[in-house]
Amino acid sequence: MDEIEFMDRADALFQGMRNRLRDQDYDFMSGAAHAGEHAEVLDLLLAIIAKRRIPISKRERDELRAIMSFYELPAKMYDFINDWKNIVDSADIIDDEPERDEPGPPVASGPPVIVHENPDFGRTLRTQVGLHVDLPPRLYEPFVDHFTAAVGVGVEINLARTNPDEYLRSGKVHKPTKVEANFVPLMIQAISDGSIWGGGILLRGFEQWWTKKRSDAENLIRQLPTVLAAEQLGDDNFHIALADLSSSTAEQVIAALAGSKIEEILGVVPPVPVFKYPPI
């Protein structure tokens, strides 16, 4: 579990217990989480479970155990974190999730995808895999340079040039062959399969491809969670960045990701990080 996954899972845990927390406690946790002080969040949450005996579900108990394994004990000044195993073992466990005051949001049927809004670029590069949606121009060169120098392969592909509707060959209009039309997914798969350490691929001109070849672009997007999930099962670093998107296309891309399926052969995989940058 990396730092970003740890913070996301800790946030989801206390937010899922919203109806069992006092307003002042929930507000404190929300503020601490927003500031990145997740030790404060978890120490208070454990204190509440221990002192007020609020019930937690089996799923919440197991998730709390997984999250707390992130810590190296003892943790200075956090008494409840240091005693977390005893607190969790003696917690009041219920078989089913406690009823919510209001129905929870629908759960997507697609792969586990976590969207990070307005991410810190330096931190994103410390994750094993990731999909960057609408990478800003100032980060094009640092993205490619990082994977070229530090990881293995850094590639920039201009989709407006590699996926034309037609082009001139020997003075005649020529329709792209099947291999030419599949150049981008084949390139991604080749780097995924063949690079020793991993790689990074920057796809420029994605808006034009999404507009002109929508079905091809959507097919690629739906393949990406499987590609990245496969990399997560190994030790390679693999990132893909989409650039030159409109705001509406960025939202449609994320929706397509949520609706895709990961191949069953991969089994249960960690959530795929999606880094969504603000529009320029």
Side-chain angles (χ1 to χ4, degrees):
M1 183 187 308
D2 59 30
E3 185 179 1
I4 291 179
E5 182 184 350
F6 161 75
M7 291 191 293
D8 286 335
R9 291 173 71 169
D11 290 348
L13 180 65
F14 85 81
Q15 289 168 4
M17 301 170 67
R18 174 68 180 91
N19 65 316
R20 283 163 281 162
L21 300 173
R22 296 187 305 191
D23 289 343
Q24 58 266 39
D25 292 332
Y26 180 80
D27 291 343
F28 172 83
M29 291 181 190
S30 297
H34 185 72
E37 300 292 340
H38 285 77
E40 302 282 355
V41 173
L42 293 169
D43 199 60
L44 176 57
L45 184 60
L46 289 164
I48 292 171
I49 293 172
K51 292 184 176 182
R52 296 192 206 139
R53 308 301 301 177
I54 67 169
I56 60 175
S57 69
K58 292 180 179 179
R59 184 197 64 79
E60 289 169 337
R61 176 198 61 193
D62 294 342
E63 181 68 359
L64 190 53
R65 285 174 175 165
I67 291 170
M68 295 312 302
S69 66
F70 183 82
Y71 278 101
E72 293 185 6
L73 301 181
K76 188 176 181 181
M77 298 178 63
Y78 295 110
D79 294 339
F80 295 97
I81 285 178
N82 289 328
D83 195 37
W84 75 264
K85 290 184 180 179
N86 291 327
I87 294 172
V88 173
D89 288 344
S90 60
D92 293 334
I93 307 298
I94 55 177
D95 290 334
D96 300 316
E97 294 284 346
E99 293 184 3
R100 296 174 180 267
D101 293 335
E102 297 179 358
V107 178
S109 60
V113 173
I114 296 181
V115 179
H116 304 276
E117 299 275 355
N118 194 17
D120 177 85
F121 182 66
R123 287 178 62 184
T124 68
L125 297 180
R126 293 197 292 271
T127 62
Q128 183 187 3
V129 302
L131 175 64
H132 302 249
V133 177
D134 204 16
L135 190 74
R138 61 184 173 80
L139 297 179
Y140 294 171
E141 187 173 344
F143 179 88
V144 175
D145 287 350
H146 169 78
F147 289 100
T148 299
V151 180
V153 178
V155 178
E156 177 179 330
I157 300 174
N158 190 332
L159 295 172
R161 296 179 181 178
T162 56
N163 288 281
D165 294 320
E166 56 188 29
Y167 61 92
L168 289 176
R169 174 185 286 178
S170 302
K172 296 182 179 180
V173 174
H174 174 76
K175 295 289 289 184
T177 65
K178 185 175 181 179
V179 171
E180 290 169 333
N182 290 331
F183 172 77
V184 173
L186 290 174
M187 172 68 77
I188 291 174
Q189 197 62 52
I191 293 177
S192 175
D193 293 341
S195 176
I196 296 175
W197 301 111
I201 302 177
L202 169 61
L203 300 180
R204 296 282 313 278
F206 192 84
E207 179 74 23
Q208 181 173 341
W209 196 33
W210 184 265
T211 302
K212 290 189 174 184
K213 297 286 186 178
R214 178 65 172 268
S215 62
D216 292 344
E218 284 188 344
N219 286 337
L220 173 65
I221 292 300
R222 292 194 175 99
Q223 294 172 25
L224 295 186
T226 293
V227 173
L228 295 175
E231 295 291 341
Q232 286 179 297
L233 297 178
D235 297 325
D236 294 346
N237 288 78
F238 199 74
H239 285 234
I240 300 171
L242 310 179
D244 309 316
L245 283 72
S246 66
S247 296
S248 61
T249 297
E251 295 299 332
Q252 292 169 34
V253 164
I254 291 174
L257 284 170
S260 59
K261 302 292 182 182
I262 290 179
E263 294 180 8
E264 293 184 3
I265 192 173
L266 296 177
V268 179
V269 296
V272 174
V274 177
F275 305 113
K276 183 176 180 290
Y277 297 83
I280 298 175

